[in-house]
Amino acid sequence: QNGVLAVVADGMGGLSVGEEASQVAVEIFFKEFYLTPPEASMRQRLTRAMKIANSAVFDLALRDGEVVDMGTTLTAALIYGDNLFWASAGDSRIYHFKDGDLSQLTRDHVYANELKEDVINGRITREEAEKHPERDYLTSYLGLFELPEMDLEQEPLPLKPGDAVMICSDGLYNALTVQEMAGIIRNGSIHAAEQLVKTALSKNLKYQDNITVVVFACQSVK
C-alpha cells in the first residue's frame, strides 16, 4: 500500500564520514516516510522524510561541540500505482527511460546554476562560467541547518510498461553519456544496473567517483 520506494545517497566529507552521513540519511528517510500519517499525500510524505533526514545529518555533524564537515545528497524515487513521485537534494539524479530515450527528471543543485544566471544577466562571460573552479560545488544537500533547495515533481509522472526509472550518483553520469546509459537500459537486461557500473569503470577514468545505481523496469502485470 506504500508503493515501491528507492533511495540513493552520496556522502561527502571523506570516506568514513561520508559513508556515515549517507547511511544515517537513508535510514531516517525510510523510517520517517513510513511513519508519516497515511492520509498525507505522497509528496507530503517525501518532503517530511527529506526534512527530518536533513536534521538528522545536521545533528550528526555537531559532535562534542564541534562541527564536522559532512553531508550527503539524497534522491528518492517512489512508484505508487502507475505514477512516479520524487524528492531530491544535491546532484544525484533520476532519469526516465521511455521509447528508447533517457531524460533527466531532477535538477542538480550546483553552483553552475547561479553562474548560468550570471551569464544571462551579463555579469560574467560564458567562458568564465564554464571554467569557474566552483561550478560543481553543491548548493543544497543534507547536513545543512535548513535545506536551501529541494527538487519535487510538479505533477506525478505516469509510467507505462516498457518504461524504466534510474536513480544514480554523479559517479555514473560523469563517466557515461546519456546515449551510453540509454543503450544499456534499452537492452532490457535484469542486470542493467550492474552493466552500467561495469561500463563506467571500464573507462578507467583518473578521478572516478563512487557509483550507485538503481533501475526500475516497468512491466505489465498479467
Side-chain angles (χ1 to χ4, degrees):
Q1 68 188 38
N2 291 305
V4 180
L5 175 65
V7 174
V8 166
D10 187 10
M12 303 170 292
L15 187 59
S16 61
V17 173
E19 182 178 3
E20 187 176 8
S22 59
Q23 183 176 3
V24 167
V26 170
E27 289 176 354
I28 296 298
F29 186 92
F30 274 105
K31 175 184 175 183
E32 295 301 330
F33 177 84
Y34 291 115
L35 285 177
T36 306
E39 62 269 17
S41 69
M42 292 301 156
R43 198 177 203 213
Q44 289 171 331
R45 299 178 75 173
L46 290 170
T47 300
R48 176 181 179 274
M50 181 74 81
K51 290 181 177 180
I52 295 177
N54 175 63
S55 296
V57 178
F58 178 76
D59 291 343
L60 188 66
L62 299 175
R63 293 178 172 172
D64 301 323
E66 297 184 3
V67 179
V68 178
D69 184 20
M70 67 161 53
T72 181
T73 71
L74 193 147
T75 298
L78 170 68
I79 297 179
Y80 184 76
D82 295 326
N83 294 311
L84 173 66
F85 302 79
W86 68 82
S88 180
D91 63 353
S92 294
R93 294 178 178 177
I94 299 178
Y95 288 87
H96 179 211
F97 179 81
K98 180 179 177 64
D99 298 329
D101 294 322
L102 194 64
S103 57
Q104 181 181 342
L105 298 179
T106 51
R107 180 177 185 266
D108 296 341
H109 297 137
V110 291
Y111 188 53
N113 296 327
E114 297 180 28
L115 293 173
K116 183 178 180 180
E117 291 295 322
D118 288 341
V119 172
I120 294 174
N121 293 318
R123 288 189 286 268
I124 61 174
T125 66
R126 185 178 301 276
E127 183 179 7
E128 286 174 328
E130 292 174 350
K131 293 182 178 180
H132 200 288
E134 298 177 358
R135 61 177 289 104
D136 293 327
Y137 282 20
L138 294 182
T139 54
S140 185
Y141 55 88
L142 273 64
L144 301 171
F145 179 67
E146 288 186 355
L147 278 175
E149 297 177 90
M150 188 190 318
D151 195 68
L152 296 162
E153 85 292 335
Q154 296 303 309
E155 294 289 339
L157 179 68
L159 298 173
K160 297 181 180 180
D163 288 4
V165 177
M166 179 178 74
I167 322 171
C168 65
S169 62
D170 62 343
L172 182 73
Y173 65 75
N174 284 334
L176 301 179
T177 65
V178 171
Q179 291 74 21
E180 288 173 318
M181 294 188 292
I184 293 172
I185 296 175
R186 193 179 297 122
N187 289 333
S189 169
I190 61 172
H191 303 294
E194 181 181 356
Q195 188 59 46
L196 285 162
V197 174
K198 286 183 177 180
T199 304
L201 294 178
S202 71
K203 301 280 186 175
N204 293 317
L205 299 181
K206 186 176 181 180
Y207 299 107
Q208 176 63 62
D209 202 352
N210 295 333
I211 303 175
T212 301
V213 187
V214 178
V215 178
F216 288 123
C218 305
Q219 301 175 339
S220 59
V221 180
K222 298 181 179 179

